[in-house]
Amino acid sequence: MRAFITSAIGVTCSAALVLPNAAPAGAAPDTSATAATEAADPAEVPGSTQSLPLSPLSTASTRATDAPSGTAEANAVQGLPRRDVHPFSLVGVVWDDADVELHGAVEVRTRAIGSGHWSDWQDLETHNAEHAADPGSAERDSGTVRGSTAPLWVGNCDGVEVRVIPETPDAHDRATAHVPLPEGLRLELVDPGEDPKQSPVAGTDEGDFEASGAEFAGLASGSGGRLATSLQASLQGSLQASGQGSVLPALSKAQTEAEAGVAPGSKPYIGPRPTIITRKGWGADEKLRESAFAYTKRVKAAFIHHSATGNKYTCSQAPSVLRGIYRYHVKSSGWRDIGYNFAVDKCGNIYEGRAGGVTKAVQGAHTLGFNTDSMGIAVLGTFTTSDPPAAAVNAIAKLTAWKLGLFGADPSSRTTLVSGGGNRFKKGTKVKLNVISGHRDGFVTECPGTRLYKKLGSTRTSSAHLQGR
């Protein structure tokens, strides 16, 4: 099984979200030709990405960063010594060939803006290939996809240090030859930019969003439905007309059924639509992603994930975390869009993920081998050793009851998917899975974390109950 973030969980640099693109006072960010910083007019593209190439670290600098000296690992370590950089809040490492796995440890230290304090070493999850487009798909074969670690949310920082330590064939013999690291290793530092002014969650926190969301509840009857593919155009028109494109308000079960065009007297199994914060609401810049959309025929299953980005974020920061992941998936990893179809934060707020329509069968890049006829829901956080908040688990039940219900799927049942290829099932294998499955059910991985995975049984029951089963 693959291990997820351990010592990195819950470490942040600052709660501040205003991330200017200028160098911090007193700092001297890397401005060399090898330090590529992708930035733009804030009015055009919020946020930026600094891409810094890694190089072999000298024995002296390796010792200075506490790595073992006189060993194969010490001599083969790549990284960057401590340095000042432009402000960032999310960090990851990428490399040239997405088919090459990084065998080793990736560790970072960061410095909080204005504090002068450096964090302890934090681990990045290196086994991230299972969150990706299926083999043979147009997205996977686009030529832009890179190998990448999972990203880590660190808060508002302006200093960084990184080391990549290759593993040895024999963990008990530290003098044996190291396993070669992938070529083209680069450190990616992501500034997600400022929150959109219209975001309904900006400035809210745990316990506050419920009141904020209530402001939009009264719009339910007049803003149109998004409960069937045929209603997409009318919904978009009504949202534009009402100016409330940042939130899809919750509907009661009766309203949901009416919007779905259910015949009177019939007994549909569709859960009430929950409040959904749209891409506009969390500030997704639509110029980053590919303009076209990719669809499959239906949604037969939902795969539950955790983002492995740590737990020390506030719910008002969740839009920034999402923008960071989105930018990292597109600009750093080379995907067409954010990989997940939906995201859920610790307060139970639900966010639209990959673009293409929340009622449609949008093909994601979340469960390698099983992105066809499925959707991916990521809970923001790391739940290997930490319990997921009840609000987040309840939100999964509400979201699946509604979205799976649109396609006639019973959350408490099982379904058959055909594997597109992976480390658990060969390509073409017909696999019987729970309609609500964890990522690990389709791929050998720790995702969605042991603690969240254990909640899926009760989630299936709750979701089915919301559908009226």
Side-chain angles (χ1 to χ4, degrees), residues 30-57:
D30 186 352
T31 56
S32 66
T34 57
T37 301
E38 178 276 314
D41 183 344
E44 294 294 326
V45 182
S48 63
T49 301
Q50 299 170 75
S51 186
L52 308 175
L54 304 187
S55 58
L57 295 176

Side-chain angles (χ1 to χ4, degrees), residues 9 38 44 56 95-96 98 110 142 219 329 355 425:
I9 297 174
E38 178 276 314
E44 294 294 326
W95 53 94
D96 293 342
T110 54
S142 65
L219 300 170
H329 282 179
F425 302 103

Side-chain angles (χ1 to χ4, degrees), residues 253-254 256-258 260-270 467-468:
K253 195 171 191 306
T256 300
E257 293 170 3
V262 175
S266 62
K267 185 172 178 57
Y269 295 109
I270 303 174
Q467 284 189 348

Side-chain angles (χ1 to χ4, degrees), residues 5 8-13 19 48-54 79-81 83 85-95 106-112 118-126 128 147-164 185-192 307-310 320-329 331-333 382:
I5 296 172
I9 297 174
V11 180
T12 60
C13 287
L19 307 178
S48 63
T49 301
Q50 299 170 75
S51 186
L52 308 175
L54 304 187
L80 287 174
R83 66 174 63 191
V85 293
H86 292 283
F88 69 97
S89 291
L90 183 137
V91 58
V93 169
V94 301
W95 53 94
V106 179
E107 303 172 340
V108 298
R109 280 175 173 164
T110 54
R111 184 188 61 206
W118 286 83
S119 71
D120 294 333
W121 284 110
Q122 305 171 67
D123 297 327
L124 300 185
E125 169 52 47
T126 59
N128 192 48
S148 61
T149 68
L152 177 67
W153 175 262
V154 293
N156 202 12
C157 298
D158 62 2
V160 70
E161 179 181 12
V162 62
R163 63 189 186 193
V164 182
L185 287 168
R186 301 186 71 88
L187 178 68
E188 303 288 292
L189 304 175
V190 179
D191 166 15
S307 63
T309 46
S320 287
V321 176
L322 271 175
R323 290 196 305 278
I325 295 173
Y326 172 42
R327 179 174 277 276
Y328 183 76
H329 282 179
K331 302 297 291 186
S332 301
S333 301
T382 306

Side-chain angles (χ1 to χ4, degrees), residues 61-103:
S61 63
T62 301
R63 281 199 296 269
T65 55
D66 302 323
S69 60
T71 65
E73 293 100 319
N75 295 329
V77 169
Q78 291 193 38
L80 287 174
R82 290 187 181 186
R83 66 174 63 191
D84 298 331
V85 293
H86 292 283
F88 69 97
S89 291
L90 183 137
V91 58
V93 169
V94 301
W95 53 94
D96 293 342
D97 192 343
D99 292 326
V100 173
E101 189 170 352
L102 194 160
H103 295 282

